[in-house]
Amino acid sequence: MKIATWNVNSLNVRLPHLLEWLRAATPDIVALQETKLEDARFPAAAISELGYHCVYSGQKTYNGVALLSREPARDVLTDIPGLDDPQRRILVATIGDLRIVNLYVVNGQDVGTEKYAYKLDWLKKVTAFLREELQRHPRLIVLGDFNIVPEDRDIYDPEAWRGKILCSEPERAALQGLFDLGLHDSFRLFQAEAGHYSWWDYRQAGYRRNLGLRIDLILASAALRERCRGASIDGVPRGWERPSDHTPALLELSDD
DNA sequence: ATGGTAGGCTTCCTA
């Protein structure tokens, strides 16, 4: 089965891209971020026509997460213990025999700002939740827009970004905290090369110049590691007209 | 140090 994550940067604008990509890529589970839609405006009908069930947690203008799946989602959570957050950034559900956690991690704006402190606090609380969730659900997938560059090989110019937002040591330490729970960056189970990216800034012709970052990740728990068959980034949608600034990341998992 | 582009219901905020 294929599991994917994609920050669509407005599902209202990107719905045609999403539908085209679903037809082409035929994923079984898709986590979306930055839908920027209130739940009443979620385009469930258009998506269900392609054979997907939808659950979503959205808000006007900002944030918003959704899960699309061939099988219906069960035991859905939009809020987690210890994190009282009006921002819609988390969606947890059981799909088949997998527990899925879709995250739109806080961007953090700039190191040292209020939003940066919120990012680190948010990550601390989500990590505590995931530690518990792994006890309840060993077959756990945590995926989404992490807004953290894991390593120097995941960014076009590591020296220019050293210590900056998305690359700072406290952010990388927070991501390492997730790895320490036994969650594996599935892309790196299959690909060691530098130069594979999932996001390019709209500004300064970032995509044309390939000034990319790999910040969209699919983490697989230790119990799922043996079922991982391949991981990839589908760069095609980033090249379409009026694209999201992110492109989808994928994980292929065997059925058992 | 700043600004560049994109999306939203906006005369700026977020990324």
Side-chain angles (χ1 to χ4, degrees):
Chain A
M1 73 178 323
K2 280 188 269 189
I3 301 170
T5 181
W6 192 8
N7 179 324
V8 292
N9 186 19
S10 170
L11 185 52
N12 192 37
V13 172
R14 229 66 65 192
L15 182 61
H17 283 197
L18 175 65
L19 297 177
E20 182 169 350
W21 187 75
L22 290 174
R23 289 181 200 276
T26 64
D28 297 286
I29 298 172
V30 184
L32 303 177
Q33 303 86 34
E34 285 205 270
T35 55
K36 300 185 177 181
L37 285 174
E38 290 177 297
D39 289 347
R41 296 183 57 217
F42 192 89
I47 292 168
S48 67
E49 275 180 32
L50 296 187
Y52 291 92
H53 296 89
C54 306
V55 291
Y56 33 88
S57 177
Q59 64 184 95
K60 200 188 292 186
T61 309
Y62 303 118
N63 310 311
V65 283
L67 279 168
L68 320 182
S69 52
R70 295 286 188 193
E71 286 188 62
R74 321 189 298 275
D75 301 321
V76 177
L77 288 181
T78 60
D79 293 272
I80 62 171
L83 181 68
D84 184 19
D85 189 0
Q87 301 193 22
R88 303 291 81 196
R89 297 179 175 276
I90 299 180
L91 190 54
V92 186
T94 300
I95 300 169
D97 68 344
L98 303 175
R99 190 67 167 165
I100 306 287
V101 180
N102 177 10
L103 299 180
Y104 174 44
V105 174
V106 177
N107 173 286
Q109 193 175 51
D110 276 307
V111 173
T113 63
E114 217 168 272
K115 291 190 180 74
Y116 182 75
Y118 164 53
K119 179 179 197 171
L120 295 180
D121 182 62
W122 191 93
L123 284 162
K124 184 178 173 182
K125 287 166 175 167
V126 169
T127 302
F129 165 74
L130 290 174
R131 181 178 290 111
E132 300 292 316
E133 198 68 356
L134 262 167
Q135 300 295 315
R136 292 183 285 262
H137 305 279
R139 292 183 300 278
L140 187 71
I141 295 282
V142 183
L143 77 175
D145 176 358
F146 282 73
N147 270 317
I148 301 172
V149 176
E151 300 178 82
D152 285 357
R153 59 180 163 165
D154 298 308
I155 185 165
Y156 66 97
D157 188 347
E159 292 312 323
W161 283 73
R162 184 87 54 214
K164 298 219 162 44
I165 196 66
L166 312 186
C167 294
S168 73
E169 284 309 319
E171 290 167 273
R172 284 185 166 171
L175 183 58
Q176 183 62 47
L178 297 183
F179 298 154
D180 290 345
L181 298 178
L183 296 168
H184 300 273
D185 179 355
S186 60
F187 187 80
R188 290 304 180 198
L189 297 177
F190 298 95
Q191 179 58 265
E193 279 178 4
H196 295 273
Y197 308 131
S198 66
W199 177 84
W200 297 260
D201 203 315
Y202 287 125
R203 297 165 288 189
Q204 297 175 307
Y207 180 65
R208 184 179 57 72
R209 298 162 65 202
N210 197 25
L211 309 180
L213 284 63
R214 192 176 69 89
I215 55 176
D216 298 273
L217 311 178
I218 304 178
L219 311 187
S221 64
L224 291 175
R225 187 176 177 164
E226 294 307 309
R227 284 171 58 182
C228 293
R229 290 290 173 269
S232 58
I233 297 172
D234 182 356
V236 171
R238 186 63 177 82
W240 289 343
E241 193 175 336
R242 204 181 180 192
S244 169
D245 44 355
H246 296 252
T247 210
L250 294 116
L251 171 64
E252 174 93 32
L253 213 58
S254 68
D255 290 333
D256 52 9

